[in-house]
């Protein structure tokens, strides 16, 4: 079964995100879907043909996590955008964030600071499935730093392609625009 690229054109027109930036980002995302499918095919063929003890198999296997996570993280990112209005202050997400960070504001400061770190990658609010605790993580590139068995709730892309077209090197301005467009209902739904 091949993965199919999803259509996120519903988020076009968000304030603070040009169509050019978003359409380019959709194109990049589709590239990850194509590469994920291609790697699955190639690795499966190598398995059938008895080529697993080769450096080629090892390198493609390593690359697979990067392509797959690139695909999945972009889906989570686009899905948690396009919202109208702020977070529900009475909702279960804010209640949980307050429990684990002291206040919603403390969580927001930690998440934004994570996203503003030097380097390319992702800021992700994760829920630890074992304890229910909410923790912000820095994910390097697409595949390094994911906490095992945790559930991603809010995903923010901080690769330069996510903002340079509209904001140049002003990543903090992009992060503010991202926050204005979070689809909090989608985030709430991911909460376990
Ligand atoms: Fe991206």
């Amino acid at each position: 079964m091949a993965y199919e690229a999803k259509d996120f054109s519903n988020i076009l027109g968000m304030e603070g995100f040009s169509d050019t930036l978003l359409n380019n980002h959709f194109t990049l995302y589709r590239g990850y879907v194509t590469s994920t499918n291609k790697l699955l095919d190639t690795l499966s063929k190598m398995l059938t043909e008895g080529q697993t003890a080769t450096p080629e198999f090892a390198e493609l296997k390593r690359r697979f996590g990067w392509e797959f996570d690139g695909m999945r993280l972009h889906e989570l990112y686009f899905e948690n955008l396009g919202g109208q209005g702020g977070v529900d202050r009475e909702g279960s997400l804010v209640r949980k964030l307050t429990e684990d960070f002291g206040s919603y504001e403390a969580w927001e400061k930690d998440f934004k600071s994570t996203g503003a770190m030097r380097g390319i990658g992702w800021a992700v609010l994760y829920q630890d499935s074992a304890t229910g605790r909410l923790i912000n993580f820095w994910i390097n590139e697409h595949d390094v730093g994911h906490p095992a068995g945790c559930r991603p709730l809010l995903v923010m892309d901080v690769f330069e392609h996510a903002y340079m077209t509209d904001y140049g090197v002003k990543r903090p301005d992009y992060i503010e625009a991202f926050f204005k467009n979070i689809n909090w209902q989608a985030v709430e739904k991911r909460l376990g």
Side-chain angles (χ1 to χ4, degrees):
M1 179 212 78
Y3 287 98
E4 274 184 43
K6 297 182 179 184
D7 175 21
F8 294 106
S9 55
N10 62 301
I11 65 168
L12 285 169
M14 288 190 297
E15 200 185 324
F17 287 78
S18 67
D19 285 358
T20 306
L21 181 140
L22 285 172
N23 281 320
N24 283 337
H25 212 164
F26 297 154
T27 303
L28 283 173
Y29 155 64
R30 286 192 291 271
Y32 289 109
V33 179
T34 304
S35 295
T36 296
N37 287 327
K38 196 170 176 189
L39 282 181
L40 279 173
D41 279 354
T42 309
L43 286 165
S44 148
K45 203 173 292 165
M46 291 179 93
L47 177 66
T48 314
E49 292 169 359
Q51 295 171 11
T52 50
T54 61
E56 288 80 5
F57 181 85
E59 288 310 307
L60 292 178
K61 226 8 161 182
R62 279 180 214 285
R63 188 173 181 86
F64 181 68
W66 189 81
E67 299 286 2
F68 181 92
D69 283 326
M71 169 181 76
R72 183 54 45 79
L73 286 169
H74 278 102
E75 290 168 351
L76 292 162
Y77 170 73
F78 294 134
E79 277 162 14
N80 63 216
L81 278 169
Q84 312 267 320
V87 67
D88 177 6
R89 293 283 177 163
E90 311 299 319
S92 48
L93 180 67
V94 169
R95 197 161 51 241
K96 194 80 190 68
L97 286 172
T98 306
E99 231 174 85
D100 293 332
F101 286 86
S103 66
Y104 168 84
E105 286 71 24
W107 165 77
E108 189 182 289
K109 185 161 198 268
D110 188 84
F111 189 86
K112 285 180 174 173
S113 305
T114 305
M117 283 163 44
R118 287 167 64 75
I120 47 168
W122 302 78
V124 181
L125 167 63
Y126 265 105
Q127 182 173 33
D128 177 3
S129 313
T131 64
R133 183 176 178 163
L134 304 185
I135 310 174
N136 294 323
F137 279 83
W138 170 260
I139 307 306
N140 219 44
E141 291 270 344
H142 304 312
D143 54 338
V144 180
H146 293 284
C150 295
R151 180 196 296 267
L153 303 184
L154 176 66
V155 172
M156 180 170 71
D157 192 342
V158 292
F159 273 68
E160 278 138 3
H161 64 246
Y163 59 90
M164 276 206 106
T165 309
D166 293 345
Y167 294 97
V169 294
K170 294 182 188 150
R171 195 193 286 187
D173 291 359
Y174 154 71
I175 292 175
E176 289 309 312
F178 172 85
F179 262 78
K180 286 193 186 109
N181 290 286
I182 293 174
N183 181 344
W184 287 108
Q185 282 95 337
V187 180
E188 287 258 2
K189 257 192 231 155
R190 293 173 184 165
L191 193 66

